[in-house]
Amino acid sequence: MSHKRKREDDNSANPYVQERPHFGELAEQFPVFRPFVHTDKNENPYIDFKDSEAVRTLTWCLLKRDFGLDVKLPADRLCPPVPNRLDYILWIEDILKETLPTDQFDMAHGIDIGVGASCIYPLLCCARHKDWKFDGTDIDETSVRIARDNIRKNKMNDRITIQYNSIPERIFLLDEGKKYTFCMCNPPFYASEEEVEQSLQTKQAEPFAICTGTKNEMITDGGEYGFIQRMMNESLIYKDRIMWYTSLIGLKKSVRPLVDQLESFGINNYVVSEFIQGRTKRWAIAWSFGPKRLHKVHNLVEYRAKLHFVSYMPKPVSYVREQVIAILQDLNISFEQDGNDPNVITGKPRAITWSRAARRLLNKKQKIEENELPIFEFQFALLEEEEEEEREGDKQLDGGCRIASVWLQGDKRTAFESFWFHVERRVQEACGVDRGSTFNSKSGAVSEA
């Protein structure tokens, strides 16, 4: 198993990525699993993933052994693969750890849209975090009933609440005035039974594992794109009542249209990641109306919102650092240098002091009115060029350095971009890149205009 979701904390990485479940050991621990375990000619144990009963029993064993959960998995409902579901949860944890104080992370309240009979996401999250709470919804009354049974069986009635959604077109059932930390969803992939059949026929190989999902779990109006689009539309109503809106995406063709939809709504605080478990590839999208922005969580480059800028300067890092500090001081922007690395500089401008109008006021020694709160938060990181890995096709600078600028927080992207371009231009001028030259910030080359 492998995945492309980079994690900062190896202790919280998906254990199933490093080591696949040993079917022989599971069979020894759980006699109910023994009938489904076979051995190949080399005496290696395996199971038939096209046997739905074998898959359900494997899932039950993993939930019991690794999380202490006893979960009923009905034969006529989707059987959730634990490694895939855990990947989504770990990704959400990464997002919350980066954007929440520890005490708020520890008391997170999530929403699971389409909780399913297994109630897998709320149960796993609450098993991992003793003070987390969850609200789950589903449009299938039978799934709601079984999910509630699973909650009672695992003694989590005081932490997980399940609601029946009688209006399938509606996504969110929020308690009046209440705020939530995040929502999650594994929407139906397809728009029709014909689309399901067509998907199976166009696969290059037979399905690796059997699917036992109901029509409600597999099909929705407009497919997964239509479902997540409705989530986005409703998020415009609720906005910061949910800090992070998230959803899994099963079809790559849905990703770009969904990113474009967010951009059309003016939502630029989002991230798209990719998970790979065995033969299964999934994507996930998260968006927020809050000011906290993600720069550590793995973000697919082709869908990345413009939060990062990089320039290469033909001068040593010590020289460039002096210029950056002098520019920030000239702009009356307070900043801090990292105690362990003076080449990492962060700041929170409270006024747009780099505009032409502001510069005229500063030149006249007139005061510029500042906002009570910062307009945005930025970080500059400077690295000697020789410390960087080789970049294919890029010309290396002799003694040059790189400036990486990151938008950490705030809701005014144009303000951050204008600030960065102002600082970049002045540093380039200080490095000898004058107005008669064209500076290629990608390669670091200086050429005559």
Side-chain angles (χ1 to χ4, degrees), residues 8 257 333 337 344 419 426:
E8 298 295 320
I333 295 175
Q337 291 175 268
V344 176
F419 164 71
R426 292 179 63 176

Side-chain angles (χ1 to χ4, degrees), residues 31 47 104 142 159 162 205 221 224 239 245 272 293 351 383 397 419:
I47 70 168
Q104 292 183 30
T142 301
R159 300 170 59 195
I162 306 297
D221 184 27
E224 68 175 5
K239 292 193 174 180
Y245 296 82
V272 176
R293 297 179 178 274
L383 289 175
L397 293 175
F419 164 71

Side-chain angles (χ1 to χ4, degrees), residues 363-391:
N363 289 336
K364 295 177 181 179
K365 307 298 182 181
Q366 295 180 14
K367 185 177 181 181
I368 297 176
E369 186 175 346
E370 294 188 343
N371 296 325
E372 185 177 346
L373 297 174
I375 302 169
F376 57 81
E377 181 179 357
F378 69 88
Q379 179 187 84
F380 295 152
L382 291 79
L383 289 175
E384 296 286 0
E385 183 63 13
E386 55 265 29
E387 294 178 10
E388 291 295 293
E389 297 178 0
E390 292 289 333
R391 292 186 306 279

Side-chain angles (χ1 to χ4, degrees), residues 172 174 179-180 231-245 265 267 287-290:
F172 295 104
L174 305 188
K179 288 193 173 185
Y180 301 83
M231 284 183 65
M232 291 177 177
N233 286 331
E234 288 195 25
S235 76
L236 295 174
I237 299 171
Y238 298 112
K239 292 193 174 180
D240 62 359
R241 286 191 58 192
I242 299 174
M243 182 177 179
W244 283 102
Y245 296 82
F265 288 149
I267 301 171
W287 67 98
S288 175
F289 294 89

Side-chain angles (χ1 to χ4, degrees), residues 20-209:
R20 296 182 61 178
H22 191 282
F23 299 136
E25 292 177 359
L26 275 176
E28 286 296 318
Q29 187 173 355
F30 300 102
V32 68
F33 189 51
R34 289 176 189 170
F36 306 104
V37 178
H38 315 285
T39 54
D40 61 20
K41 61 182 180 180
N42 296 319
E43 299 298 317
N44 295 315
Y46 71 93
I47 70 168
D48 180 4
F49 278 91
K50 294 180 183 178
D51 181 344
S52 61
E53 188 63 27
V55 173
R56 277 197 306 278
T57 307
L58 169 63
T59 298
W60 181 86
C61 292
L62 293 177
L63 290 172
K64 185 70 173 176
R65 184 193 69 178
D66 298 336
F67 303 96
L69 296 169
D70 184 3
V71 180
K72 179 182 178 181
L73 303 166
D76 59 349
R77 294 295 189 275
L78 279 176
C79 179
V82 178
N84 301 62
R85 299 304 191 256
L86 185 58
D87 241 347
Y88 186 15
I89 291 170
L90 292 170
W91 178 73
I92 288 176
E93 289 176 2
D94 284 349
I95 290 173
L96 300 186
K97 286 176 182 177
E98 187 173 345
T99 55
L100 283 176
T102 301
D103 59 337
Q104 292 183 30
F105 173 88
D106 291 341
M107 304 296 289
H109 195 142
I111 299 172
D112 184 9
I113 303 161
V115 69
S118 66
C119 195
I120 186 71
Y121 287 127
L123 288 172
L124 276 177
C125 285
C126 289
R128 287 175 58 79
H129 304 283
K130 64 181 180 64
D131 293 318
W132 279 28
K133 292 186 177 181
F134 249 94
D135 289 359
T137 65
D138 207 291
I139 62 173
D140 184 335
E141 290 184 273
T142 301
S143 291
V144 167
R145 176 178 54 79
I146 298 172
R148 288 170 175 167
D149 289 342
N150 278 322
I151 293 167
R152 283 191 291 270
K153 185 187 295 187
N154 289 280
K155 297 180 172 57
M156 293 189 182
N157 305 56
D158 58 334
R159 300 170 59 195
I160 304 174
T161 301
I162 306 297
Q163 296 184 69
Y164 169 62
N165 182 0
S166 60
I167 306 175
E169 296 76 20
R170 179 177 56 183
I171 304 297
F172 295 104
L173 302 178
L174 305 188
D175 290 342
E176 187 66 31
K178 193 170 185 178
K179 288 193 173 185
Y180 301 83
T181 316
F182 66 94
C183 73
M184 59 194 310
C185 180
N186 184 17
F189 291 172
Y190 305 107
S192 66
E193 293 184 30
E194 290 76 19
E195 193 173 308
V196 177
E197 200 62 36
Q198 182 182 9
S199 175
L200 291 174
Q201 291 174 2
T202 55
K203 286 184 183 293
Q204 295 181 347
E206 292 184 21
F208 182 54

Side-chain angles (χ1 to χ4, degrees), residues 332-352:
N332 290 338
I333 295 175
S334 60
F335 61 90
E336 294 181 355
Q337 291 175 268
D338 189 291
N340 298 318
D341 186 355
N343 294 322
V344 176
I345 301 169
T346 58
K348 300 178 181 181
R350 294 179 180 272
I352 300 179

